Amino acid sequence: MQTPLESFIDHKADTGMQCGSYSIDIPPLKEGEQYRFHFDAVACVGCRCCEVACNEQNNNPADVKWRRVGEMEGGEFPAFTQLLNSMSCNHCIDPECLKGCPTNSYIKLDNGIVFHDDDVCIGCQYCTWNCPYQVPVFHEERNIVTKCHMCHERLDEGQSPACVQACPAGAIEIEVVKVDEWLARDIDEQANMPFLPDARITNSTTRYTLPKNMPENMKEVDEHILKPAHKEIPLVFMTVLTQISLGGFLALFLGDMMSLFGFESPNWIMALFVFLPSAIGLPLSALHLGRPFLAMTAMKNIKTSWLSREALALAVYTFLMIGVIWSYFSEIPTFIRVVLEMLTLGAGVYGIYAQSMIYRIKARPSWNRLTTNLKFFGVGYIGIFLVAFISSVSGMYDAIVPLTTMGMIGAVAQLFFTYEDIRTLDSIKENEYQLQRTKRLLNENFKNVKEYRYISLIIGGVFLPLLALVFTSVSPTATAVTLFLAMMVVMFSELTDRFLFYTTVVPLGMAGGFFVGKQR
């Protein structure tokens, strides 16, 4: 009679189970094939040995998990179902992390593994936003992002990955997949499981075996947990300041255009004050990076990364702004300066557009809406108020009324965009779960902050500018003071709104992952 151990060894030999084995018997890859994970949710017992083995193999601290186990449950006693998902990188066919990375730190190897090159990573964490599975994780000790690489160095030696070897139930395996067949036939049925993002977003390769006749009322075991996202304070200031600069430059450009028809021309002081928000804001973005001294390498992936495009365009815009300031000093012909300003404005507009497109990502539904683009450009009205204020201080009184009126129109538009941004959380059905949780954060965690946003925008964007218009015929000093107050109030209002933008986002991700560690 066989002992239990002998029986298990025979069972492993008969079924080809990979668990507990150093060696792994998989066929060599042919053209059009790659490696992938297979996870058997029926076999998984939730022991989390895979998490521990992965961390030990890769020398990661406890809060940096490349493989995580999530939990779902459903049904009614006694017909109760617990569903587990052990997930690491899905080594997607079209990985969003690779497309978005500004430094080309991600490489799709010939065997299909999505590999992260730690040496060139600047720790911007954009990939942690882009990945709909929240796979990449920031490693605070190393100041970079890290992720699963399928233990590629072990696979090269014919050994099984740590998670595969450690799983006592044989729930995790390495397989070979034919990419074309997977995309054409099997991905929709075999790559999805409850509460996971649609596999078609990135063409995930992980294959799932699920229980038959699962209850319809499955739910995440951590759905009661709702916490704000990271504040991203450096990005709050950087984005708002650069957008203010663009709005101010638009006012400067329009003023110079009008000077061609006999109106008073803007001056170098206006150009300098329009330049300063961008000159201050761009370096602030480096404070967001894990390795800020490598910030310039963020321009490497112009081909696919909106972050690279933003960095390059806004750098060009800021550099050209220096030329515009110089043009006022050198008193070159207005027509030539206007041409330079047109080039500068084009670079700035594209830079802010690229900046807004950084956030138009499927993995973060509350960001992936038209209102994001509109609100990013909408902040420019503060720059118009800035130029109006400088006009009042420098004695260009004819420009105050049109500029203040333009700023008020922009503020009203921004008020509408803000209202639509919140209203549409209820009207969009796709990713309704995440959008409604964003709404809960706004109404429960940040209710007072949201109310302040509305009130301050009305006061600073409408009431105080109207008061300034009244003062224009009475007191230049009162006009300047009122415009300054209006500018300060709306500045804090927009910083508040951008703070809410970052903290209330609820990303797509793995269900029931309340032990997943430092996912951004």
Side-chain angles (χ1 to χ4, degrees), residues 245 249 271 274-275 316-326 344:
S245 177
F249 189 81
V274 168
F275 162 78
V316 170
Y317 164 75
T318 305
F319 176 78
L320 290 176
M321 273 288 298
I322 298 175
V324 171
I325 297 171
W326 171 83
T344 306

Side-chain angles (χ1 to χ4, degrees), residues 373-393:
N373 304 81
L374 296 175
K375 288 172 69 178
F376 272 45
F377 278 104
V379 175
Y381 75 92
I382 303 179
I384 300 175
F385 282 146
L386 172 62
V387 176
F389 168 70
I390 300 301
S391 299
S392 68
V393 172

Side-chain angles (χ1 to χ4, degrees), residues 112-151:
I113 294 173
V114 178
F115 177 78
H116 182 262
D117 187 350
D118 294 352
D119 292 337
V120 297
C121 177
I122 61 175
C124 70
Q125 301 162 70
Y126 187 30
C127 56
T128 68
W129 295 351
N130 272 29
C131 176
Y133 302 100
Q134 294 186 287
V135 164
V137 59
F138 186 66
H139 196 305
E140 291 188 354
E141 295 177 9
R142 301 176 61 191
N143 293 317
I144 60 172
V145 170
T146 59
K147 64 173 284 295
C148 158
H149 45 59
M150 203 183 276
C151 291

